[in-house]
Amino acid sequence: MTKRPPVPTLLLLLLLSPISQTRAYDGTTLANGLFSTRTNVDEQSKIALDVRDMLNALSQDDYNGADLVYRGGVNSRRYDDKGKLQLEKRTLQSLSTEARDDFFDKDLTFAFQTYGLAGKDVDAIDDHKGYGDEFVRNALMDPRSGSLAGEAAVALNLWMYSVHSLWESFNACEMAAYVSSYPAAGFGFDKGSIIRAYDEAMAYYVGADQQAGTRRGFAVYALAQKAGSLFEKNKDRQMNVNLRMSDLFERGHGIFSEGDPCSEDGLDTLEELWGVVNGMISLMTIPLVQMLIHSMKSEDQARVKMYALAVIPQASSCKTSAYRMLKQNLLEQTYNPDKFADILTNLQSIYDCLGITCLDVGAYRETEVAQCAERPDNLPMAGYSPSTNVFQQAKIDLDIQQIEIMASLEKYSIASHIYNFGRNSIIDETKFRSLKSFATDPNRMKVEPLFQQFQDYHNQKNYADNIVQQTLDGEGKWNNATPQQRTEIIVTTIKAQIMFMYILSEMQDAVSDCDMGDFNDNAGGAHSWDEVAAYMIGSLEDVKTGGGDDTEDGQMFWNLANTLCEEFDTCNKNGYSILNAEIENLLYAGKAELNSYDCTNMYHTIKKLTNMLIIPLIQSVFRYAVILDSLPPDSTDKEVATAEAFALSVIPIIASYEPEAANIVARNMISEPGVKPVADGPVYVSDAFFTVLDDFDLKCDYVGRDQAVDGCALTLRSTFSAATSRRMRWLDTALVLGVTFFSGLAAFL
């Protein structure tokens, strides 16, 4: 340990240091002690002084001088790994341009940012990695921009680099855990980088010369103070965002101080740190949202563009229709104040996805823009009105969507973290429900006989988790597949297999609650039947009956049925699936039965709902049988993976009743090297289903007809005349394309 300097020297150092940034023995004190780091991050915090110097130059219309500070750096010195002073200073420009060198490749937040800026075009992402630097440089070239460049250096460059440092700490913790298991892989790895990166994040967030509880500073902390003063009643105090940031920062250090963190024996550290980092980033988003609203109300076009650039790309991970509207009106077009109300409504609709609330944002200037109302407990989900608040449960659909985004960007490690730890379905401030926990939930064993059928077929109980985790890790059958195929096998397995079985297990939980006479015997007192509805419908559907008009918004079974209804001619006059109309009726029936503890009728309702959930899975198998019929062996089309995932959602059920039929479906729908997909033709696949559907009494209207198959009339159109010649054993009493299931399923539940 380094020897403490003698008293006179120590006093001299204190006198020469800014009051808000006195150097501690082994750390840095920021904002008069509100943030105390464990490592020395003095130099990193001094980058805020470059913002100060930029703003001073801009106040004198010295744009060249501001540019020199921005590009060359003045106050923040760099040291190499051995502590040797470097000639080049740390610069505000480098905080943005380092992203072009792929330094931010493992940052979830930056990935969403560039994905959103690129309009979800994966091939265009590299064009947007230097978005902050581009905005600042353009402002510096505009002699009418005033202080805009300096403000942008904070809101865009410094904000994202602080976030980057948080993710760098998390990624270093993950690396440390790996090295503890495989020491040979850790050559040159410095475990101290975990805490150092974590502390650096706060140095960039708070900055040097920041007085606690004031706007007199130059980094993100001061921005949060300024924004908060516009939205909080008490304007002369420490803003709530900064107080909560301090609390979470200390919680993170508490994690590092427990046992052997970030090791094989301390794997919980990684999940806990994941929660803290996500929580801190959500808090950091609040002042950006507040300043965007302020800029819109002030009709300050330049700052509307700047804060929209900081916030709106993150909406690409949220509701698609809201993201499109916000991007069009705030980034692609000049802001129109006449559209403020509509824009604000869409902005508020993504608060939950950004991890913030109406209370977090508050009311603008007390009465000028009222605080938005928090979501009522009984706000409908696609027309179903819950009696308890299950919105957090419903938000598991955002995890699915965000896993899909990360996998499509080939960021499988980030996708794996969302899968394993969760990100959106909040249990408490830093802990989430996870799809991994759904896939491995022991309560699935209560779903009989279906769970046993899947376990027997795969010869393992965590069958779907195994497929997803192996594909995320680059192992197993799909390790050499295209990124699009890997994405499809991951996401469709989650939707069609993990969520399917978990919904059934939640129904069983509702049965148990009915038997015990306590339908609120769940986390947070949630109504067990409301949870069933939440996992069927999700958070992304509209409140109106039938759900949203934009099928890109949904992720769950409800959306799958609505997506297929146009193709299979099963949409009702209101434009949504007749299957969902029946599901809604059954949801209300099951809820009433549970409320009155009518467990016998509830049992029958659950059986009907189970059959209803199977219908869109079978429809999907038929749909992809048609698509795959035109593909050659070893096709790299993503549909090959989608088809297999859907097929595996029903083959185990078929196999327990009609093994030969299951073999036919597997032979045609499960990809094998050198084998043409659907070699026997789509009709052969459909016929395999029909042989086990004799005893089912659901209306064929639920399944409908597509361009090739008319299930109700049991006829094929000319599209499949060649396939028809191969096989035409259609059963008059069989259902169309995929009705409910086998008589043996009556034994279920």
Side-chain angles (χ1 to χ4, degrees), residues 52 103 114 156 289 395 399 405 501 552-553 639 662 736:
R52 176 199 64 189
F103 288 171
T114 50
L156 302 179
V289 171
K395 283 171 63 181
D399 279 14
I405 293 170
M501 192 59 68
E552 287 189 49
D553 282 341
E639 285 82 4
V736 227

Side-chain angles (χ1 to χ4, degrees), residues 490-598:
I490 291 165
V491 174
T492 309
T493 299
I494 291 172
K495 291 181 182 180
Q497 298 182 49
I498 292 176
M499 290 309 304
F500 172 68
M501 192 59 68
Y502 191 73
I503 290 169
L504 300 188
S505 72
E506 284 294 308
M507 290 184 189
Q508 287 302 300
D509 181 59
V511 168
S512 298
D513 290 350
C514 187
D515 291 336
M516 291 189 301
D518 185 0
F519 53 68
N520 292 121
D521 183 30
N522 300 285
H527 193 295
S528 53
W529 197 254
D530 289 341
E531 291 186 310
V532 171
Y535 294 128
M536 279 191 190
I537 299 169
S539 70
L540 292 168
E541 295 288 350
D542 280 355
V543 298
K544 69 179 183 179
T545 300
D549 296 326
D550 192 333
T551 55
E552 287 189 49
D553 282 341
Q555 290 287 336
M556 311 302 251
F557 271 86
W558 190 275
N559 173 262
L560 180 61
N562 277 347
T563 300
L564 293 168
C565 83
E566 185 174 348
E567 180 174 346
F568 284 88
D569 195 24
T570 55
C571 300
N572 63 16
K573 63 181 181 181
N574 295 315
Y576 65 94
S577 172
I578 58 173
L579 178 63
N580 282 341
E582 180 61 21
I583 287 175
E584 184 179 353
N585 291 335
L586 291 170
L587 285 173
Y588 276 118
K591 185 175 183 178
E593 289 153 3
L594 180 54
N595 285 345
S596 61
Y597 301 113
D598 182 0

Side-chain angles (χ1 to χ4, degrees), residues 452-469:
Q452 190 64 48
Q453 292 165 0
F454 279 83
Q455 182 172 270
D456 290 347
Y457 182 84
H458 292 280
N459 198 29
Q460 56 180 305
K461 62 181 180 180
N462 294 332
Y463 55 92
D465 173 64
N466 187 56
I467 294 170
V468 171
Q469 196 64 68

Side-chain angles (χ1 to χ4, degrees), residues 231-471:
F231 285 80
E232 294 186 27
K233 291 181 180 179
N234 188 347
K235 307 182 189 326
D236 299 319
R237 64 173 176 81
Q238 192 80 254
M239 292 303 156
N240 192 43
V241 166
N242 286 329
L243 287 173
R244 291 168 66 189
M245 281 291 289
S246 176
D247 289 344
L248 276 182
F249 179 65
E250 285 304 313
R251 185 183 296 190
H253 272 300
I255 293 170
F256 297 137
S257 66
E258 295 175 359
D260 187 12
C262 302
S263 68
E264 185 179 15
D265 295 328
L267 289 178
D268 287 345
T269 305
L270 197 61
E271 182 174 2
E272 292 172 8
L273 186 59
W274 169 266
V276 168
V277 167
N278 275 285
M280 293 174 80
I281 294 168
S282 292
L283 288 175
M284 291 173 65
T285 304
I286 295 170
L288 299 181
V289 171
Q290 290 172 327
M291 292 305 295
L292 175 57
I293 294 171
H294 168 64
S295 300
M296 287 193 290
K297 287 301 294 180
S298 303
E299 299 184 17
D300 185 337
Q301 293 289 353
R303 284 165 181 80
V304 167
K305 191 70 69 178
M306 178 180 73
Y307 286 110
L309 189 62
V311 174
I312 303 310
Q314 294 296 316
S316 62
S317 67
C318 305
K319 192 170 185 175
T320 298
S321 57
Y323 158 71
R324 279 200 302 257
M325 189 274 183
L326 292 168
K327 183 172 184 286
Q328 179 181 7
N329 285 278
L330 295 176
L331 291 177
E332 296 172 356
Q333 301 174 359
T334 300
Y335 166 63
N336 181 354
D338 293 338
K339 295 183 178 181
F340 174 77
D342 288 341
I343 293 172
L344 182 64
T345 298
N346 278 273
L347 181 62
Q348 291 168 343
S349 75
I350 65 168
Y351 282 2
D352 273 298
C353 174
L354 298 177
I356 64 179
T357 68
C358 292
L359 181 62
D360 289 335
V361 176
Y364 177 62
R365 288 178 171 163
E366 296 189 18
T367 59
E368 194 168 335
V369 178
Q371 177 179 308
C372 61
E374 300 294 352
R375 184 184 180 96
D377 289 353
N378 64 347
L379 190 69
M381 300 178 291
Y384 174 82
S385 296
S387 54
T388 55
N389 191 343
V390 289
F391 186 60
Q392 290 301 328
Q393 287 89 328
K395 283 171 63 181
I396 199 70
D397 59 357
L398 286 169
D399 279 14
I400 299 174
Q401 178 166 292
Q402 292 171 10
I403 288 170
E404 182 172 14
I405 293 170
M406 289 299 120
S408 71
L409 299 176
E410 300 182 60
K411 297 185 183 298
Y412 301 109
S413 177
I414 300 176
S416 183
H417 294 321
I418 300 173
Y419 175 71
N420 281 277
F421 303 147
R423 185 168 184 267
N424 297 280
S425 184
I426 300 172
I427 296 174
D428 62 35
E429 189 177 18
T430 59
K431 188 171 180 60
F432 311 94
R433 293 173 186 81
S434 74
L435 290 159
K436 174 86 167 184
S437 69
F438 287 12
T440 58
D441 184 12
N443 287 328
R444 295 170 303 143
M445 291 185 288
K446 297 178 182 178
V447 182
E448 293 297 347
L450 289 183
F451 179 74
Q452 190 64 48
Q453 292 165 0
F454 279 83
Q455 182 172 270
D456 290 347
Y457 182 84
H458 292 280
N459 198 29
Q460 56 180 305
K461 62 181 180 180
N462 294 332
Y463 55 92
D465 173 64
N466 187 56
I467 294 170
V468 171
Q469 196 64 68
Q470 281 193 343
T471 309

Side-chain angles (χ1 to χ4, degrees), residues 140-213:
L140 286 169
M141 290 187 289
D142 182 356
R144 303 164 300 173
S145 64
S147 61
L148 184 66
E151 296 171 42
V154 175
L156 302 179
N157 299 21
L158 199 50
W159 189 94
M160 186 58 78
Y161 205 84
S162 178
V163 168
H164 163 67
S165 296
L166 287 173
W167 286 123
E168 196 170 38
S169 175
F170 174 82
N171 292 327
C173 183
E174 181 185 25
M175 182 64 183
Y178 181 78
V179 168
S180 71
S181 300
Y182 304 97
F187 179 76
F189 175 72
D190 176 12
K191 195 171 182 179
S193 62
I194 303 168
I195 297 178
R196 188 161 56 249
Y198 189 71
D199 285 345
E200 286 177 1
M202 287 306 96
Y204 294 123
Y205 179 83
V206 181
D209 272 6
Q210 176 64 57
Q211 301 295 311

Side-chain angles (χ1 to χ4, degrees), residues 723-734:
T724 304
S725 64
R726 286 185 231 135
R727 187 164 176 86
M728 273 299 283
R729 281 194 301 112
W730 296 80
L731 303 176
D732 291 338
T733 57

